Amino acid sequence: MNGPEPKVARRKLLLSPGLVGAVLAGHSAVGLALAALIYLVCLSGSLAVFAQELQRWEQPAGPVLESVAPRAVDEGFNAIRAKAPTLAKKTVSIELPSAAVPRLTLSAGGDEGVGGEKWLADAAGRPAARIRRPTSDFIVALHTGLLLPEGIGRTLVGLIGIALLALLLSGVLAHPRMIKDAFTLRRGGSWRLQQADLHNRLGTWGLPFYLTVTLTGVFLGLFFVIFASLAATAYKGDLRHAFSDMGFEGERPQQTAAAVPSMSAMIEVVRAKAPEASIRSVSIERAGTSGQKVNVTVHRPGQLSTYERYVFDTSGRMVDSPKATGETISRQILFALQPLHFGWFGGIVVKAAYGLLGLALCVMTSSGVTIWLARRRDKGRPAPMWERIWTATIWGQPVALALAAAVPVLWRSETAAAMGWAAGAASAFALACLYRNDRALALTLRLLTAVLLVALAVTHGVVWSRQMEDSAGWIVDAVLIVGAAVLAAPLSKRAAARPS
Amino acid sequence: MSMSLGSVIGIAAVLLTFSLSGLLAVFLSAERRADRTKPARVAEPDSRPRSRWRGWARGMTAFFLAMFAALAVGAAFAGLPVGAPADRVSIGSLIVPFLWAALVIWALADRKILRPVIGMVGALAVSSAAIAWGLLA
């Protein structure tokens, strides 16, 4: 018996072609069934990373502030309470200026940023302009719930996340040469081989990022399904206790009327306790009742969680603080999910990395289906109609999203972004019926997106030129033009290659 | 010292740099080939007998049974009398998606559909018994 043979035999047993083929069959089944939805969630998610920048671009007018005095919070609270007295009874939130969003925003009654009354305020806390951000709200709604009703959409996106996680895990199992081929990218050979190489290399190198965003996304989407199932056992059915342990609080009955405590005094207390932390927001629940509660949320430099909070009761007494509760691992995990999922923890550099790797996940999703279509063509069973439909799905979305951003610039309606998106998606599928060649269709849609992006940047610049107080407006316009140039690059290559 | 997962920022930054620099290296070292006729050597999915009932059985197993089995195992884990309940719920909540995804793949990949069905029903039964024992104890 010689040495090396058993090693070879053991390796063959671990990753037998039969196992690889079986896992690949499962991988293909999940991918083909859900690729379009996965792509839509990933593409909108890549843009949702820049939601704060998009909000600033959408409304570049209004006061731009570096910081405000604590008394501006009290003034802002009184002003938003006067504007929306009924909504303010539920909750009022005042977001303080930060490097990412240099605005003082007042909101009443909103639930996770949706609905309610929202205003930009000046340095004294006086409302200056009603907040209007249809495009960024639309993109976030598309990503988190595919425009479906809140509970249904969020759960569906969570289930799509499970499918994506299954694809990532099966992709690793179905690729036994993952390490050996890590740097192999062949261009110019068979189309299927090119797409397979692209799919596998993007999958290999982006895997840590994909696993992070998918796992956190599943948890955010299926939070109530998973959390309630596990908490019911851990807390023996006492879900109220479970939510309380996690830092949430159930509804309490309205109590007797009470004066609203000074929030500026609470800010001073928090500043004294945590001088290195920056105060992000102040919110008050059940304002004007004896059960009212004020949360002062802070962010410490270098920390992932953006949800460290100090809680004050109706008399202005501090009843909860990060050090008093001793931040359990459960709260740390819970409050790190959103920054980790959206890349909101390291400034614009981390956001840019998230955006690029998010687009890599979109390309990987696209190439997965393209491999299947190319395999059919190689075997003499081409599916030209499906090739065009898939091309329209992939390249139609940039058109649709560009229109979702463009239409609200000119048409101030609540539904403008959704109408623009629907029109763009429908146009792409209509073009798929007119074209015979999927590559020509892809090129047309790319160029259409490029033209729309340039038109969007120019229109936005013209519409807001006299009121562009936030420089983010100009920067995003410039990024849109650079994006258009990247999308139009194939046309210039074709023109250069054409004989004179 | 604050305990708000500060070190995770460093780990995340390292992983992002790893991914982007790896992809950059791959694209910069891409190999150009002129031959478009050579057949591609790419792994093929398993060819297996197809029928409507098999498709439905696999779909139902992958969707419903995998979900219930993963949640039941997660709930049984959360019921273990070790550590704080909130920590067990949080850690269990991170395990469930991986387990759920793995079961989906098992249901869709295994040539014999009965194997994943038996495995998941077994996991569901054992976990349910553990949950019931924990709740009644």
Side-chain angles (χ1 to χ4, degrees), chain A residues 113-155:
Chain A
V114 179
E117 184 84 13
K118 294 186 178 66
W119 286 77
L120 290 177
D122 64 14
R126 289 185 297 263
R130 192 187 290 271
I131 288 177
R132 189 179 164 274
R133 46 191 193 198
T135 303
S136 48
D137 282 352
F138 171 80
I139 287 168
V140 171
L142 186 61
H143 177 66
T144 57
L146 293 172
L147 310 179
L148 295 167
E150 176 65 16
I152 298 169
R154 200 170 269 262
T155 306

Side-chain angles (χ1 to χ4, degrees), chain A residues 454-489:
Chain A
V454 172
L456 172 60
V458 171
T459 310
H460 179 269
V462 170
V463 168
W464 290 101
S465 60
R466 288 174 186 275
Q467 312 166 61
M468 197 93 81
E469 291 178 50
D470 192 339
S471 57
W474 293 119
I475 295 169
V476 174
D477 282 341
V479 170
L480 292 176
I481 291 173
V482 171
V486 171
L487 284 167

Side-chain angles (χ1 to χ4, degrees), chain A residues 63-74:
Chain A
V64 177
L65 308 166
E66 281 185 13
S67 61
V68 293
R71 67 175 179 282
V73 173
D74 285 326

Side-chain angles (χ1 to χ4, degrees), chain A residues 104-369:
Chain A
L104 176 64
T105 63
L106 316 172
S107 55
D111 189 16
E112 289 196 9
V114 179
E117 184 84 13
K118 294 186 178 66
W119 286 77
L120 290 177
D122 64 14
R126 289 185 297 263
R130 192 187 290 271
I131 288 177
R132 189 179 164 274
R133 46 191 193 198
T135 303
S136 48
D137 282 352
F138 171 80
I139 287 168
V140 171
L142 186 61
H143 177 66
T144 57
L146 293 172
L147 310 179
L148 295 167
E150 176 65 16
I152 298 169
R154 200 170 269 262
T155 306
L156 180 61
V157 171
L159 292 172
I160 290 169
I162 291 287
L164 181 54
L165 200 53
L167 284 169
L168 294 171
L169 297 179
S170 58
V172 172
L173 289 174
H175 192 195
R177 289 162 55 93
M178 196 164 98
I179 305 292
K180 199 176 174 187
D181 289 347
F183 289 97
T184 308
L185 184 66
R186 288 158 291 191
R187 314 299 297 269
S190 93
W191 178 239
R192 185 177 158 202
L193 189 63
Q194 284 184 62
Q195 291 295 309
D197 271 0
L198 182 66
H199 186 78
N200 293 338
R201 293 308 84 72
L202 289 174
T204 300
W205 288 100
L207 189 63
F209 169 79
Y210 307 148
L211 286 174
T212 304
V213 292
T214 309
L215 183 64
T216 49
V218 166
F219 198 89
L220 291 169
L222 297 174
F223 176 75
F224 284 103
V225 176
I226 297 176
F227 181 84
S229 307
L230 273 61
T233 315
Y235 288 87
K236 299 189 187 294
D238 187 358
L239 288 182
R240 187 179 288 272
H241 184 193
F243 277 99
S244 165
D245 257 10
M246 289 290 182
F248 298 108
E249 195 190 26
E251 283 291 315
R252 278 188 187 169
Q254 292 281 316
Q255 298 175 35
T256 54
V260 176
S262 163
M263 283 175 271
S264 52
M266 295 171 190
I267 290 174
E268 297 294 0
V269 170
V270 172
R271 278 187 178 164
K273 277 206 164 275
E276 79 285 8
S278 58
I279 295 172
R280 286 289 168 87
S281 68
V282 180
S283 66
I284 180 163
E285 296 164 23
R286 301 179 299 275
T289 71
S290 56
Q292 63 194 329
K293 195 177 75 173
V294 179
N295 298 303
V296 180
T297 307
V298 303
H299 178 248
R300 289 173 198 271
Q303 300 303 317
L304 190 60
S305 169
T306 52
Y307 202 81
E308 224 171 272
R309 46 177 206 169
Y310 294 81
V311 184
F312 297 83
D313 68 8
T314 187
S315 63
R317 186 172 55 93
M318 189 188 287
V319 292
D320 193 11
S321 68
K323 283 196 176 154
T325 52
E327 291 302 0
T328 59
I329 186 75
S330 50
R331 281 200 196 192
Q332 290 182 44
I333 291 172
L334 194 63
F335 299 133
L337 289 174
Q338 201 177 43
L340 260 184
H341 184 71
F342 287 103
W344 294 344
F345 59 86
I348 195 68
V349 175
V350 169
K351 284 184 183 181
Y354 264 63
L356 284 173
L357 288 167
L359 290 178
L361 186 52
C362 296
V363 175
M364 195 171 81
T365 308
S366 163
S367 58
V369 176

Side-chain angles (χ1 to χ4, degrees), chain A residues 17-18 20-30 159 162-163 165-167 169-170 173-174 177 182-194 196 198 201-202 204-212 215 218-219 222 225-227 229-237 245-246 299-300 302-305 308 326-334 336-337 340 345-346 350 352-354 356-357 360 371 375 378-379 439, chain B residues 1-13 15-48 50 58 62-63 66-67 70-80 84-111 127 130-137:
Chain A
V20 170
V23 173
L24 209 50
H27 185 82
S28 297
V30 179
L159 292 172
I162 291 287
L165 200 53
L167 284 169
L169 297 179
S170 58
L173 289 174
R177 289 162 55 93
F183 289 97
T184 308
L185 184 66
R186 288 158 291 191
R187 314 299 297 269
S190 93
W191 178 239
R192 185 177 158 202
L193 189 63
Q194 284 184 62
L198 182 66
R201 293 308 84 72
L202 289 174
T204 300
W205 288 100
L207 189 63
F209 169 79
Y210 307 148
L211 286 174
T212 304
L215 183 64
V218 166
F219 198 89
L222 297 174
V225 176
I226 297 176
F227 181 84
S229 307
L230 273 61
T233 315
Y235 288 87
K236 299 189 187 294
D245 257 10
M246 289 290 182
H299 178 248
R300 289 173 198 271
Q303 300 303 317
L304 190 60
S305 169
E308 224 171 272
E327 291 302 0
T328 59
I329 186 75
S330 50
R331 281 200 196 192
Q332 290 182 44
I333 291 172
L334 194 63
L337 289 174
L340 260 184
F345 59 86
V350 169
Y354 264 63
L356 284 173
L357 288 167
I371 292 166
R375 188 187 302 133
D378 286 354
K379 288 186 173 174
R439 295 195 187 182
Chain B
M1 194 179 117
S2 177
M3 294 172 58
S4 306
L5 287 178
S7 58
V8 175
I9 290 187
I11 298 169
L15 290 178
L16 287 172
T17 309
F18 165 82
S19 293
L20 286 173
S21 49
L23 283 173
L24 187 67
V26 165
F27 281 98
L28 288 177
S29 62
E31 174 194 335
R32 284 230 155 260
R33 300 192 326 165
D35 181 14
R36 301 182 71 90
T37 54
K38 201 175 171 184
R41 277 183 59 231
V42 183
E44 292 281 341
D46 208 3
S47 57
R48 54 180 61 166
R50 288 165 189 268
R58 278 188 197 281
F63 189 81
M67 175 177 71
L71 287 173
V73 171
F77 171 83
L80 290 174
D87 292 347
R88 295 200 306 266
V89 171
S90 294
I91 294 165
S93 298
L94 294 178
I95 296 169
V96 167
F98 278 112
L99 184 60
W100 190 341
L103 293 178
V104 168
I105 281 299
W106 186 18
L108 295 177
D110 203 317
R111 286 179 70 88
S127 303
I131 293 166
W133 182 71
L135 289 176
L136 296 173

